[in-house]
């Protein structure tokens, strides 16, 4: 029974040991922006569905609000998935903000990776005597399981987010984030947003 438990733990560790995370692949910020205060940001997500756009914008806005950044999801002002530059500028004026954050799909990658097999061991207690004749208990390793080499397909998805000043239409910040594609879209959305929020903070755009 103990051997089966150890084997189950080894397999579980191999399959579920790492939580999916998005990482910033490239980031840029305009010089001289550190510590600058903004009047608010309009969040615009370019998505293929209205539901996806609304969910992304609302969650991103909620995270910005946690950093005392007044944020307005554009989907609260205009429905649908077709949003033009003129629409964005009009919504920014309506919302009374001075910046616009636009998030959009940046591409997918596909790769195949070889994962080497692994062997797993447990230790069995064995009684013996040392050179002085004293009794001792030794731990003797024995194999409890093994996984074979296998090829795994990895699909990565990439998003980019850009921050613009409304008045000048000048780009102030941009970041690219990527992660391995998951079946849980909600979890992926949150992970991407977390990576963008962290980079905005790292770049000194808010505390």
């Amino acid at each position: 029974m103990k051997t089966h438990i150890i084997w189950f733990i080894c397999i579980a560790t191999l399959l579920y040991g790492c939580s999916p995370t998005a990482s910033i692949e490239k980031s840029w910020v305009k010089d001289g922006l550190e510590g600058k205060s903004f009047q608010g940001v309009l969040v615009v997500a370019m998505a293929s569905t209205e539901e996806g756009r609304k969910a992304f914008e609302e969650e991103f806005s909620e995270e910005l609000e946690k950093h005392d950044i007044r944020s307005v999801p554009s989907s609260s002002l205009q429905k649908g998935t077709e949003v033009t530059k003129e629409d964005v500028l009009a919504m920014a004026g309506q919302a009374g903000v001075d910046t616009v954050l636009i998030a959009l799909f940046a591409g997918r990658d596909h790769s195949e990776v070889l994962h080497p097999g692994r062997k797993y061991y447990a230790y069995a207690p064995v009684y013996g005597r040392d050179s002085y004749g004293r009794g001792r208990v030794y731990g003797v390793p024995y194999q409890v399981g093994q996984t074979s080499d296998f090829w795994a397909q990895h699909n990565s998805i990439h998003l980019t987010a850009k921050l613009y000043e409304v008045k000048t239409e000048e780009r102030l910040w941009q970041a690219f984030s990527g992660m391995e594609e998951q079946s849980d879209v909600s979890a992926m959305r949150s992970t991407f947003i977390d990576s963008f929020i962290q980079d905005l903070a790292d770049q000194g755009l808010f505390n």
Side-chain angles (χ1 to χ4, degrees), residues 33 41 99 115 165 173 186 189 202:
L33 285 185
V41 57
T99 57
H115 295 265
E165 185 174 27
W173 165 86
S186 177
R189 179 176 65 243
D202 291 344

Side-chain angles (χ1 to χ4, degrees), residues 102-113:
I102 300 176
L104 64 156
F105 176 72
R108 277 189 174 89
D109 292 330
H110 172 77
S111 62
E112 291 188 354
V113 178

Side-chain angles (χ1 to χ4, degrees), residues 35-95:
K36 180 178 179 180
S37 60
F38 298 101
Q39 295 178 3
V41 57
L42 178 74
V43 177
V44 182
M46 309 304 291
S48 58
T49 66
E50 185 173 350
E51 294 79 7
R53 174 191 167 199
K54 183 175 183 290
F56 194 98
E57 291 179 357
E58 289 182 348
E59 185 170 343
F60 210 135
S61 295
E62 289 173 1
E63 291 302 315
L64 287 169
E65 292 282 354
K66 292 178 182 178
H67 294 270
D68 298 323
I69 302 295
R70 188 171 74 86
S71 180
V72 180
S74 70
S75 53
S76 66
L77 302 173
Q78 178 177 312
K79 308 300 182 183
T81 58
E82 298 296 326
V83 181
T84 66
K85 174 183 175 181
E86 290 71 23
D87 293 332
V88 171
L89 293 174
M91 286 187 287
Q94 183 181 349

Side-chain angles (χ1 to χ4, degrees), residues 12-23 179-180 182 187 191:
T13 301
L14 179 64
L15 296 178
Y16 305 108
C18 299
S19 300
T21 57
S23 58
M179 69 175 295
E180 188 166 337
Q182 307 291 318
T191 304

Side-chain angles (χ1 to χ4, degrees), residues 6 8-9 11 33 60 64 87 97 107 120 154 156 167 204:
I6 294 173
F8 173 79
I9 293 173
I11 290 295
L33 285 185
F60 210 135
L64 287 169
D87 293 332
V97 299
Y120 300 95
H154 294 267
S156 298
K167 184 178 180 179

Side-chain angles (χ1 to χ4, degrees), residues 23-24 27-29 34-35 67 173 175 194-207:
S23 58
I24 296 296
S27 178
W28 172 89
V29 65
E34 187 173 352
H67 294 270
W173 165 86
D194 287 345
S195 69
F196 288 133
I197 290 290
Q198 184 60 56
D199 191 69
L200 283 165
D202 291 344
Q203 297 286 11
L205 295 179
F206 56 71
N207 297 323

